[in-house]
């Protein structure tokens, strides 16, 4: 450990592993350590099933739910947008060579106690029972506008002022409150309604990402790795190693060593590794973080698919905040043996949201109600931390805790922001010498 590095990365959570890979391919000498003996940190993938029971302090059940080793349970499951930032990163960095992806069967939204398939193109919009016949026409016009819109080409604006906020854009197309609800939350994936008063450009960009992602594989815009997300951090770890990165699991970190207000190294109690910057998750530098909220998650074992999803073997359901009188959305995602994460004839459903009351588990109820009979449930309430500063002075760059969303876009925003803060420049995938590969099937 007593060597000199450009960067020491602490924690093998997904964000840290992605950054470690990105920094390595950008020419940095990286040392990556974790106090745990396994990859993944807070976002670990647990196998066999007994490990999940132990993690949550429950008595293991052996082979009650099929072979224990057939289970790969993600503590923080998230789907990838097929055309989103993470997939582009995976392709450009060549990590796709270590992973296999499969598309998710369906994307649904909750309205008035029922779930409906999210219409993501004109044909689906016209067939959907989410809207009346005239609303369908208005929504079709909105989707067409989103596809054609180019902020630099006034001919594509169709009378829209680029300085409008999102609410005004909806009103321009005459969309009613229900359509605004599912468009903002299930297509654009905003977590609450704060976006309504912000510039409409974000709404347009996010709706287009959804439909571009859908266009890639057809059934839904989402992908999920076979064997779960545990493969992702390890894929980036391999990438980092190819570019000269050094990995040490089960390595205690005693302290971060500072001189003149900035980091100069990390000590394990015996040796000191010198560095000019540190990247870590909040648990390695708690005094430099602030708590900004909590997330409650329930991991549920089912022996049946979720009703009204056409027996989908993998689905995402978003419950917009307004539908259940909340400030934040509730997320439900379900995966199965189709993604090699459970034993045959079983399903793994996860319900998550941002905590708003003193009874977090009760806040998940609208999502749990959609699941039908639950065989087993593991509930966790975790604190969300953010760094108190941007790290540019101390050279300690800290990732944010994982939010309640069941997709990766917010995670990628944080990773790309961290990379830019660390290096002073945006990540340029073209610098990575790898051929483009297709992800998914």
């Amino acid at each position: 450990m007593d060597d000199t590095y450009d960067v020491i990365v602490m924690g093998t959570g997904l964000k840290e592993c992605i950054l470690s890979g990105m920094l390595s391919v950008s020419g940095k000498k990286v040392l990556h350590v974790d106090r745990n003996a396994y990859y993944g940190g807070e976002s670990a993938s647990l196998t066999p099933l007994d490990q999940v029971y132990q993690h949550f302090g429950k008595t293991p059940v052996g082979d009650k739910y099929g072979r224990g080793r057939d289970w790969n349970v993600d503590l923080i499951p998230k789907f990838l947008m097929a055309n989103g930032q993470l997939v582009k990163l995976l392709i450009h960095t060549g990590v796709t060579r270590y992973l296999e992806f499969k598309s998710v069967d369906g994307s649904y939204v909750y309205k008035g106690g029922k779930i409906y398939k999210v219409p993501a193109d004109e044909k689906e919009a016209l067939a959907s029972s989410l809207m009346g016949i005239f609303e369908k026409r208005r929504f079709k016009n909105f989707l067409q506008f989103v596809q054609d819109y180019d902020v630099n080409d006034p001919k594509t604006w169709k009378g829209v002022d680029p300085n409008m906020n999102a609410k005004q854009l909806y009103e321009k197309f005459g969309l009613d409150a229900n359509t605004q609800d599912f468009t903002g939350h299930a297509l654009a994936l905003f977590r609450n309604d704060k976006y309504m008063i912000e510039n409409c450009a974000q709404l347009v960009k996010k709706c287009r990402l959804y439909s571009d992602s859908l266009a890639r594989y057809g059934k839904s815009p989402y992908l999920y790795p076979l064997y779960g997300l545990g493969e992702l951090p390890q894929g980036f770890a391999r990438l980092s190693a190819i570019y000269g990165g050094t990995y040490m699991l089960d390595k205690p970190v005693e302290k971060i060593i500072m001189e003149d207000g900035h980091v100069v190294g990390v000590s394990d109690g015996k040796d000191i590794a010198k560095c000019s910057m540190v990247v870590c998750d909040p648990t390695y530098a708690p005094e430099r973080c602030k708590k900004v909220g909590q997330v409650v998650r329930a991991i549920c074992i089912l022996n049946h698919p979720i009703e009204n999803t056409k027996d989908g073997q993998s689905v995402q359901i978003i419950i917009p905040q307004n539908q259940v009188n909340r400030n934040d959305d509730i997320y439900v995602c379900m995966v199965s043996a189709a993604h090699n994460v459970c034993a045959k004839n079983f399903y793994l459903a996860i319900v998550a949201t941002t905590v708003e009351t003193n009874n977090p588990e009760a806040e998940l109820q609208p999502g749990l109600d959609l699941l039908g009979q639950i065989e087993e449930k593991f509930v966790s309430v975790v604190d969300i931390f953010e760094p108190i500063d941007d790290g540019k002075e101390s050279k300690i760059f800290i990732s944010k805790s994982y939010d309640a969303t069941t997709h990766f876009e917010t995670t990628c925003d944080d990773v790309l922001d961290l990379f830019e803060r660390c290096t002073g420049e945006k990540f340029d995938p073209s610098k990575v010498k790898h051929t483009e590969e297709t992800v998914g099937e």
Side-chain angles (χ1 to χ4, degrees), residues 413-430:
D413 290 341
D414 192 28
V415 166
L416 294 168
D417 179 53
L418 273 164
F419 182 87
E420 194 174 338
R421 295 205 313 265
C422 288
T423 61
E425 52 190 48
K426 286 189 181 335
F427 181 62
D428 181 2
S430 66

Side-chain angles (χ1 to χ4, degrees), residues 144-414:
Q144 193 59 58
F145 164 76
V146 163
Q147 274 309 317
D148 299 342
Y149 181 75
D150 176 358
V151 71
N152 301 312
D153 180 3
K155 288 203 287 292
T156 67
W157 294 357
K158 296 184 182 165
V160 168
D161 175 354
N163 298 314
M164 273 181 181
N165 64 29
K167 181 92 179 134
Q168 290 165 325
L169 181 66
Y170 286 142
E171 285 163 358
K172 165 92 183 146
F173 282 88
L175 301 182
D176 68 23
N178 257 326
T179 309
Q180 293 178 25
D181 221 21
F182 80 74
T183 303
H185 296 267
L187 253 69
L189 303 177
F190 286 107
R191 290 183 287 164
N192 50 47
D193 275 348
K194 290 176 188 161
Y195 79 94
M196 285 280 211
I197 53 170
E198 291 165 6
N199 186 285
C200 65
Q202 266 312 87
L203 172 63
V204 171
K205 185 177 149 200
K206 284 172 169 249
C207 286
R208 185 180 295 175
L209 168 64
Y210 189 99
S211 49
D212 288 351
S213 295
L214 185 89
R216 283 193 79 159
Y217 302 111
K219 288 193 283 192
S220 87
Y222 301 111
L223 301 172
Y224 197 64
L226 294 182
Y227 303 103
L229 294 178
E231 301 294 304
L232 267 178
Q234 292 181 52
F236 277 101
R238 285 185 200 122
L239 175 76
S240 178
I242 288 168
Y243 281 84
T246 305
Y247 271 76
M248 292 183 186
L249 290 179
D250 209 6
K251 191 76 178 164
V253 175
E254 285 248 321
K255 67 176 198 178
I256 298 171
I257 297 159
M258 309 291 290
E259 264 177 35
D260 302 326
H262 62 85
V263 70
V264 292
V266 170
S267 165
D268 67 353
K270 293 198 290 284
D271 301 320
I272 292 175
K274 298 187 182 71
C275 65
S276 45
M277 69 173 92
V278 159
V279 173
C280 63
D281 72 43
T283 64
Y284 286 86
E287 72 290 348
R288 294 177 177 274
C289 298
K290 59 178 187 231
K291 181 178 163 181
V292 292
Q294 289 183 309
V295 172
V296 55
R297 293 186 182 90
I299 297 173
C300 305
I301 294 176
L302 313 177
N303 61 8
H304 55 84
I306 296 174
E307 256 186 53
N308 305 317
T309 61
K310 299 180 180 161
D311 288 345
Q313 297 299 291
S314 52
V315 296
Q316 166 156 280
I317 305 166
I318 290 178
I319 303 178
Q321 50 163 95
N322 294 328
Q323 294 293 325
V324 282
N325 299 319
R326 289 176 51 78
N327 298 321
D328 291 274
D329 293 357
I330 300 172
Y331 298 88
V332 180
C333 74
M334 188 206 74
V335 281
S336 66
H339 281 87
N340 300 351
V341 293
C342 341
K344 247 191 165 39
N345 302 320
F346 289 100
Y347 300 81
L348 204 49
I350 294 86
V351 185
T353 193
T354 305
V355 173
E356 296 177 10
T357 69
N358 295 328
N359 188 356
E361 196 177 334
E363 298 183 47
L364 297 176
Q365 207 53 53
L368 295 170
D369 288 345
L370 297 175
L371 303 183
Q373 188 182 327
I374 296 169
E375 298 303 306
E376 185 69 84
K377 183 169 65 173
F378 307 95
V379 179
S380 62
V381 179
V382 293
D383 294 340
I384 307 175
F385 293 101
E386 282 183 7
I388 49 181
D389 60 44
D390 62 12
K392 287 178 181 170
E393 216 165 284
S394 65
K395 296 295 175 199
I396 299 174
F397 301 98
I398 305 168
S399 61
K400 296 175 183 173
S401 304
Y402 297 91
D403 61 28
T405 59
T406 46
H407 55 80
F408 261 114
E409 291 308 294
T410 52
T411 302
C412 282
D413 290 341
D414 192 28

